Every structure is written in structure tokens, then in C-alpha cells.
Amino acid sequence: MNRKVILTCAVTGAGDTTGKSEHVPVSPEEIANDAIAAARAGASVVHIHVRDLETKQGSREVAYYREVVRRIRAADVDPVINLTAGMGGDLVIDPQDPLTTMPGTDLINALDRLPHVEELLPEICTIDCGSLNFGEGSNLYVSTPDMLREGSKRIQTLGVRPELEIFDTGNLWFANVLVEEGLIDAPPLYQLCMGIPYGAPADPGLLAAMVNMLPTGAQFTSFAIGANQLPWVAHSVLAGGHARVGLEDNLYMSKGVKATNADLTGRAVDIITGLGASVATPDEAREILDLRVQTPTISGGDL
């Protein structure tokens, strides 16, 4: 298998994981340092969320993104920067009175999910391509066709490559519609997200079916969460795709052994090279994905 595999490290996510591992970065400095360490370990791309400094939960604070990006761009490595644009889709309802929202709701429109993307112009940002029952309880992730079309059009105007986050086959169907409508520039980049309750199960047969649904010329990455993360690197590469690891999706190297982002990245590099492929450098990833490198001015010092 003589091909280049783009390896993404998803550094922190927005899940309630900081109490489960001391390695999950919280502050902009910690997140940037982990992204830099992952790049040194071989990551082609670093995927960035930010967290509130007090609650340690996911945040939409533009200043935090600004500080993370500034630190990464000032480092001695140059990974492709991928910023989430999925924050602001959380709707928690009262199951007895569904029109009443509950604590944890953070629901805003499509364009209000993009101010950090507009300012920082990362090479990639994510679009979550559909709504989902997000785990147990009454927590919904909301991303409607109208929202997706509006957000995709704005991201296209900015010259940022959207990573189409696919949590189930219906999401994939609609992402293909966005491509057909000309709202996604070539080559479309899909992220097939497996094992997230209650989306697509982490089943290699389902992965194969979803890969068969991709349009001609598409690039794709796939990942699975928890104990499936590292084995899934092999599944994704063997299916013809790229790979993703990181503490957003998994906290362990093996049972009971906590990981760092650099640890997971290094193990993924070993898996990819063990299959006869090689990990793309950041510049090779930029070429494969035809990324537009833009250099906005980022001011400010440490927070």
C-alpha cells in the first residue's frame, strides 16, 4: 500500500472528559501545546475545540481560538489547522414539555457558529451534516438543511475547506446533496464518525457501505471512539481513507493506561506505516486536499 495517509489529531473536543483524564488539555496554552506535540509526533492535521477555563466544558469563545491558533502558528511545526464549527447546536429539552429548554442548551444559527472561522481563516473547519439524538436523555444536536446550506455557502466564500462530519447515513446523503448543489468545492472532504451514540455504529461493514456512497473524487477520513479508536485507524486506511486519533475521542492507549495526544498520534503512525502506507506531511496534506493557505493578522498576547 504505497500511498499517503493524512493523520488528524483531535486534541480535546467538548465532551465531559476532563475529570476522567489529567491529560485532557483545557486552557488555550495547554491545547496549543498538545497540538504542537501531536504535530511533532507525526500528525498532519490538528483538530481544535476550546474549553471554558472555569467549567472546563466546550466553549465558543473566539479569544480562546485566537490564542490557540497564534501559538500553533508561532511554533516550529506547521500542521494543517482544523477548527470545529459545530459548537452552538446543543438543544436539551424537557421530555414532559418539549418546548421548554433545559440547562446545557446552546443553540444558535448557522452564521453565529462561524465568527472564529471568519477571523482566523483556518485551512479546514467542520460542518456537522445533520441533527442527531446525542446519547441518552433528551440532548439533541441540531443542524438542519437550511442551516447547513447557509453555513456551507459562507464557508465557501471564506475560502476555507469544510470537513463534512457524517454521523449517520442520512448525514452522508445530505452532504452529497451539498456537493451536488455546488456548495462544497472539490475535492469534498468527508469525516465518517463511527460509534457515537446514537449515530452510525462502529461496524466495518457499515464503513464499507458509507464509503461506497461517497461521490467520485471525494477524500475521506474515518474514526471510532473509545477502545475502537486505534484499531479503526487500520479499518479506515484499508478502506482507502485517512485516519484520526486524539483525546477528543479516546483517553486510553490500552485498558487502564491513559494516553496523551502525542502517544495516540505516535501509535497511529506505527499502525499506518505497518500497513505499508506513509503519513502525509502537512504540506502533502495541503496538496492532497487542495487547501487554501490564508494568513490573517492575529494580535494579542497570552490570556
Side-chain angles (χ1 to χ4, degrees):
M1 183 186 296
N2 184 20
R3 71 179 180 90
K4 297 289 184 179
V5 173
I6 298 169
L7 176 57
T8 296
C9 181
V11 174
T12 191
D16 190 16
T17 54
T18 57
K20 300 175 182 177
S21 173
E22 65 276 18
H23 299 305
V24 176
V26 174
S27 71
E29 180 179 8
E30 292 168 346
I31 294 166
N33 286 345
D34 262 35
I36 293 164
R40 289 174 180 156
S44 324
V45 179
V46 289
H47 174 57
I48 304 298
H49 287 250
V50 295
R51 290 178 179 266
D52 182 89
L53 299 180
E54 294 185 3
T55 67
K56 300 184 180 181
Q57 301 303 302
S59 171
R60 293 189 281 108
E61 176 55 59
V62 174
Y64 295 162
Y65 283 104
R66 184 184 305 124
E67 181 64 11
V68 172
V69 170
R70 183 186 71 81
R71 287 176 175 273
I72 295 172
R73 287 178 170 159
D76 60 349
V77 288
D78 186 28
V80 174
I81 294 177
N82 175 341
L83 299 184
T84 184
M87 300 299 292
D90 293 317
L91 172 62
V92 185
I93 65 169
D94 181 339
Q96 304 306 317
D97 182 12
L99 292 179
T100 299
T101 60
M102 301 291 286
T105 294
D106 178 30
L107 186 59
I108 55 177
N109 68 42
L111 297 186
D112 285 346
R113 301 181 193 189
L114 296 176
H116 59 304
V117 176
E118 294 184 341
E119 176 181 329
L120 302 173
L121 298 177
E123 291 159 277
I124 301 173
C125 74
T126 63
I127 303 177
D128 294 337
C129 289
S131 301
L132 181 72
N133 288 329
F134 201 73
E136 300 293 344
S138 297
N139 188 4
L140 310 173
Y141 183 82
V142 178
S143 187
T144 68
D146 284 346
M147 289 176 170
L148 286 164
R149 286 188 172 96
E150 185 177 26
S152 296
K153 186 175 182 179
R154 180 58 182 151
I155 291 166
Q156 187 177 53
T157 300
L158 292 171
V160 175
R161 171 74 65 206
E163 181 180 84
L164 303 169
E165 305 295 294
I166 308 300
F167 295 93
D168 214 340
T169 51
N171 294 177
L172 180 48
W173 181 1
F174 188 76
N176 289 347
V177 170
L178 291 176
V179 173
E180 292 167 3
E181 292 178 351
L183 292 170
I184 307 296
D185 292 335
L189 172 60
Y190 290 70
Q191 177 72 266
L192 307 179
C193 312
M194 315 297 286
I196 297 171
Y198 286 103
D203 181 314
L206 181 56
L207 174 63
M210 294 171 79
V211 171
N212 286 337
M213 292 174 64
L214 295 173
T216 301
Q219 295 285 336
F220 81 91
T221 300
S222 180
F223 73 90
I225 65 172
N228 288 315
Q229 182 185 80
L230 290 169
W232 205 264
V233 171
H235 286 307
S236 188
V237 173
L238 291 171
H242 304 291
R244 164 171 146 170
V245 294
L247 295 179
E248 175 171 350
D249 308 315
N250 165 48
L251 301 177
Y252 294 93
M253 291 293 289
S254 59
K255 186 174 182 179
V257 180
K258 292 178 181 177
T260 67
N261 281 301
D263 291 337
L264 293 168
T265 301
R267 180 67 61 84
V269 170
D270 291 343
I271 294 169
I272 292 165
T273 57
L275 293 171
S278 58
V279 177
T281 67
D283 282 343
E284 288 170 337
R286 292 179 175 104
E287 182 176 357
I288 292 167
L289 300 176
D290 192 20
L291 299 178
R292 184 185 301 182
V293 180
Q294 303 178 83
T295 53
T297 300
I298 303 177
S299 61
D302 298 351
L303 292 173

